Structures are given as C-alpha cells and as structure tokens.
C-alpha cells in the first residue's frame, strides 16, 4: 500500500484549460489572462497542500478559477460613502470635487488639448500658463505654478533654492505630516542641509539671526497644521521672518500646508494661515496643497516672486513632478469657484463646512427612522482633517448605533463596509457613529437602504 501523493492528484494546466467552464472564460478574457488565472489557482492550491490541506476535486478548483476571474475585473479602487465626519480624509481620497471640476477634467481627458501648445502662435507653449493667471489673481502673487502635490512642491522649492546649502528652520516645525512624510527627510532628499534653531516649544528671532551665515540658502517656515503646541511657547511671526530674510537677502519659503483661500472664522473655525497673508507679509515662495481646504484635485501649488518661480520652472525636477492635464483642468475649474465668489456653495469641502446644523439634524433623523428603534441621535463634532485645524472641529449631529460592546461595534462597522457602496463609519467607545455632514445628500438614499437592510 502506498499513500497517494496529493500533488500528483492535481489536474494539469492543460486539463483545466480544456474544461468547458474554463474555456467559456475566453469569451470575456484574453487567452493569456485565462492561463494566468489557472496558474495562479494551481499555485495557491499547491501552497495549501504544502500546508497540509487535502487536494481539492476538479470542480472546486474550477469554481475558484471562475471566482478569480470575476475578481480580476473588479477595480480595487472604488467609491465609498464617508460617514466618518472627517471632511478631508486622506485615506478616503481627501477632497471630493465639484460638478464643474469633474466636467472640466472629463472634457480634457477625453481628447487632445492645447496643454503645451500656444494656439495664437501655433508653437510650443507651457502647461503652467493654464493656472498662473488665476493663482496670481487669487493670491496677489507675481508668479505661480503647480506640481503633483505639496510634498513635490517642498522638494522642488528646496532643490531649486537651497540645494547644497543650509535651510534654517525652527525645531517646532520639523513635523511629520502623516503617512511617514517628514519634513526633515524631504529636505535631505533635496540636498539642502537642515539648520535647526530654537527648541520644540520656543524659538526667537535671535535664534534665526544667529544661525544665518555664508552657508545659508533659505529660511523656511512649515505650518504645523496637524498638532498644536500649547502652554509655554514662543514663535516668530511670518512678518518678522520676512523682514529678516529681506535684510539678509535670503529666500523665505513658507509651507502653509492646506491651501486655504477663504477666511475660516466666518464658519466658526479658528483662523488658518492663507497664502495671500504670507505673500503680503513678504514671503518669497508659498507652498500649499490642492486637495485639502482648497477642495480641488491633488496638486502642489507654488506662488511667489517671479524670479524664484522662474527658477523652479526651469529646474529638472519640475519635469519629474509635473501635473497631469486632467488635474490641471480640474484645478482651474475649482479656482474659478473662488474667482466667482461661489466656493462655499460649489466646492464640496466648503459646502460641508458651511452645512447648517439643522439640515444635518434633519438628515440624521431620516437615517434614524430607517435604522429602527434602538438608535439615537447625539451631539458630536465633525473634524476638518487632512492636517488642517487640529482638534477644533464643527458641532454636528451623529446617528449613534448601539452595540453590546466588545467586538460588536467592529462587526457592525464591518457590515456597513460590506455594503455596496461601502459605508465607512466612526467607532467611538464601542458605538458606531455616522455623521451626515461628510455624506453628499445625493447619497442619503443609499445610506437609508443600507440601514434598513441591516436593521431588518
Ligand atoms: C499636507 C501637508 C503637506 C503634504 O502635502 P501633500 O499635498 O499631501 O503632498 C506638506 N506640508 C504641510 C504643512 C502639510 O500640511
């Protein structure tokens, strides 16, 4: 008696390819894709057998191949409903875009465009022309350009203005923005050397003065947007820094983080630094994101003095970090909302910030009616997120779904994520909370349907 070898019991690739159910896949998938799916399944099966599992019968293997085939055409990147109440949620794709922005992006993505073509001269043009005038008008800058994101903008500005030299920066501003993005690491990549001044909680103008020398390439300020130093603190204002930079004839770079063009105090939020204010104070180059409080597509915006921006445009990295045409079109459309003074109504991020609490309460009640008797509506706070305006938030109404504690909250949150489209909720102290503020009212029907099916 010999024990059978489970590996030898497996069907061959050819045997599987001639199975009629596998052959039927060729109607939808290329021959190479079908072969790849069969091989993947056989590899996975061999691995399972190696781990001590018995060899599956042919039907089981074929069904697994069919399942693989279905998954192969399902995009991993899918729309989700953000019920977390975090408006600029980096893990959920940051700013949703206005209808006008989406239309502009589609329009340019569909065909050819004058991306780098001067229609008047019939000659080569620059992609920077499409955003420069708007950015100049909105911020009062002499010149402007845009790159792929704000991390790119920091890298480009430091590379072009301070490579091989020192950049003087306060210790309190050597921050990690999130996702492991650390200002000191980006500075190192640019070839600029860090000259840290002051302490974590206190930095004075005299610290900057003492650090400036022959090796200094630039002064830099980074808006510590995702945390707050409270208590015994001292920092140097951007106006004082600009005056110092001008006296010593050194460039001053200001990373304001979130590209906030509006006065946040009108929405009951604390003041957030604006690019306009930095330029007015005398900063040479201001950097900010396109997809945080600006509410547009992913981008890094750079505004400032003409000769410095020209230097950045000519730097070889500018080519490596350049923006895609559809994003340029989208950003231009988003900037139009600010030029037309309609951002609070049209830009989704601002619409969410400006959403009246009564409207949120009414929607929460509609959700509660669908969810059944056990839920309640509680007071809470929506967060701005994206490293903007830490811990402030806005008062909101939350739908609270009770759980029996333990892992029940996690199980309920999982059921919401398994919905189509997935709904992402917040779990606090075991309760599952849903915030209507970050959900587009056009998605309410989908939320209500999901709550009904879960409660039934
Ligand atoms: C978010 C942020 C960045 C990174 O911007 P991205 O657009 O995500 O690359 C850089 N600096 C500050 C201060 C930020 O808040």
């Amino acid at each position: 008696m010999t024990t059978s070898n489970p590996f030898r019991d497996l069907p061959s690739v050819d045997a599987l390819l001639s199975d009629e159910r596998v052959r039927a896949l060729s109607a939808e998938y290329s021959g190479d894709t079908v072969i790849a799916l069969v091989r993947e399944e056989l590899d996975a099966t061999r691995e399972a057998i190696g781990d001590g599992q018995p060899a599956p019968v042919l039907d089981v293997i074929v069904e697994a191949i069919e399942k693989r085939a279905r998954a192969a055409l399902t995009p991993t990147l899918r729309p989700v409903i953000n019920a977390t109440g975090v408006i600029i949620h980096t893990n959920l794709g940051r700013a949703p875009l206005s209808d006008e922005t989406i239309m502009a992006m589609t329009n340019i993505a569909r065909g050819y465009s004058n991306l780098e073509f001067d229609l008047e001269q019939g000659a080569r043009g620059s992609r920077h022309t499409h955003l420069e005038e708007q950015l100049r008008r909105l911020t009062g800058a002499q010149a402007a350009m845009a790159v792929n994101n704000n991390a790119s903008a920091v890298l480009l500005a430091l590379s072009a203005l301070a490579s091989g030299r020192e950049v003087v920066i306060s210790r309190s501003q050597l921050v990690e923005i999130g996702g492991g993005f650390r200002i000191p690491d980006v500075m190192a990549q640019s070839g600029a050397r860090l000259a840290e001044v002051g302490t974590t909680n206190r930095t004075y103008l005299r610290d900057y003065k003492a650090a400036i020398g022959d090796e200094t390439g630039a002064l830099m300020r980074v808006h510590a947007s995702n945390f707050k130093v409270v208590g015994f603190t001292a920092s140097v204002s951007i106006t004082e820094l600009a005056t110092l930079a001008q006296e010593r004839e050194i460039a001053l770079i200001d990373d304001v983080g979130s590209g906030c063009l509006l006065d946040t105090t009108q929405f009951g939020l604390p003041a957030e630094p604006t690019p306009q204010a930095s330029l007015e104070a005398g900063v040479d180059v201001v950097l900010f994101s396109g997809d945080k409080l600006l509410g547009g597509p992913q981008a890094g915006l750079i505004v400032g003095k003409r000769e410095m921006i020209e230097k950045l445009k000519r730097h070889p990295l500018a080519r490596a970090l350049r923006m895609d045409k559809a994003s340029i079109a989208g950003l231009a459309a988003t900037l139009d909302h600010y030029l037309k003074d309609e951002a609070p109504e049209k830009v989704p991020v601002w619409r969410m910030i400006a959403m009246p609490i009564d409207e949120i309460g009414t929607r929460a009640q509609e959700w509660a009616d669908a969810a059944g008797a056990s839920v309640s509506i509680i007071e809470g706070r929506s967060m701005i997120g994206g490293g903007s305006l830490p811990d402030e938030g806005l008062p909101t109404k939350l739908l609270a779904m009770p759980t029996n504690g333990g892992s029940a909250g996690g199980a309920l949150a999982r059921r919401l994520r398994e919905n189509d489209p997935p709904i992402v909720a917040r779990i606090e102290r075991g309760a599952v909370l849903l915030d209507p503020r970050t959900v587009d009212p056009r998605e309410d029907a989908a939320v209500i349907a999901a709550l009904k099916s879960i409660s039934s």
Side-chain angles (χ1 to χ4, degrees), residues 197-432:
V197 298
T199 59
T200 307
N201 58 332
R202 295 176 81 90
T203 304
Y204 303 96
L205 193 62
R206 61 171 186 269
D207 296 325
Y208 287 94
K209 283 183 177 163
I212 295 175
D214 295 342
E215 290 292 290
T216 308
L219 304 186
M220 184 163 183
R221 180 183 79 152
V222 176
H223 177 50
S225 42
N226 55 0
F227 70 101
K228 227 174 174 172
V229 181
V230 291
F232 187 59
T233 65
S235 61
V236 181
S237 76
I238 196 69
T239 311
E240 289 173 289
L241 272 187
T243 308
L244 177 62
Q246 270 154 24
E247 273 169 23
R248 305 291 180 96
E249 295 182 357
I250 326 169
L252 173 58
I253 303 167
D254 189 12
D255 173 7
V256 294
S258 206
C260 183
L261 297 176
L262 298 182
D263 173 11
T264 47
T265 59
Q266 63 182 309
F267 303 101
L269 291 166
E272 174 80 2
T274 63
Q276 305 89 290
S278 290
L279 291 168
E280 200 159 322
V283 171
D284 297 295
V285 178
V286 183
L287 318 170
F288 53 101
S289 289
D291 54 353
K292 290 183 179 171
L293 280 173
L294 191 77
Q298 180 186 304
L301 290 89
I302 308 175
V303 298
K305 303 245 165 84
R306 183 166 295 110
E307 73 272 23
M308 303 224 189
I309 302 290
E310 288 307 316
K311 232 178 181 170
L312 267 58
K313 284 181 185 168
R314 284 195 306 268
H315 193 278
L317 266 183
R319 168 63 190 253
L321 305 174
R322 73 185 186 185
M323 249 180 114
D324 162 67
K325 64 185 178 205
S327 299
I328 292 176
L331 186 54
T334 301
L335 293 174
D336 274 351
H337 293 313
Y338 291 91
L339 286 168
K340 292 159 87 175
D341 202 17
E342 61 182 22
E345 299 87 53
K346 295 277 192 164
V347 177
V349 161
W350 289 107
R351 223 169 40 211
M352 290 173 190
I353 290 174
M355 191 176 284
I357 187 89
D358 292 347
E359 187 182 325
I360 297 173
T362 306
R363 292 173 59 206
Q365 188 57 56
E366 282 163 15
W367 294 8
D369 294 344
S374 56
V375 303
S376 59
I377 294 170
I378 61 168
E379 310 275 326
R381 296 190 87 77
S382 313
M383 291 294 151
I384 304 299
S388 314
L389 299 161
D391 70 55
E392 304 300 342
L394 293 158
T396 195
K397 302 276 186 189
L398 301 165
L399 176 71
M401 304 180 76
T403 64
N404 301 325
S407 60
L412 181 53
R414 166 179 285 275
R415 285 191 71 186
L416 289 165
R417 289 201 307 276
E418 283 167 355
N419 188 64
D420 185 21
I423 299 170
V424 185
R426 195 195 308 178
I427 306 180
E428 256 172 39
R429 279 168 268 119
V432 174

Side-chain angles (χ1 to χ4, degrees), residues 102-117:
I102 295 160
M103 258 171 23
M105 293 176 83
T106 311
N107 197 25
I108 288 304
R110 188 176 285 124
Y112 296 104
S113 60
N114 63 337
L115 178 64
E116 291 185 355
F117 185 70

Side-chain angles (χ1 to χ4, degrees), residues 166-187:
E166 284 182 356
V167 175
V168 182
I169 183 168
S170 164
R171 281 202 171 81
S172 66
Q173 295 164 15
L174 295 173
V175 296
E176 174 169 322
I177 306 304
F181 170 74
R182 287 181 171 172
I183 290 291
D185 297 338
V186 179
M187 292 177 104

Side-chain angles (χ1 to χ4, degrees), residues 72-84:
L73 289 192
T74 310
T76 59
L77 182 60
R78 315 161 55 187
V80 305
I81 293 176
N82 173 15
T84 64

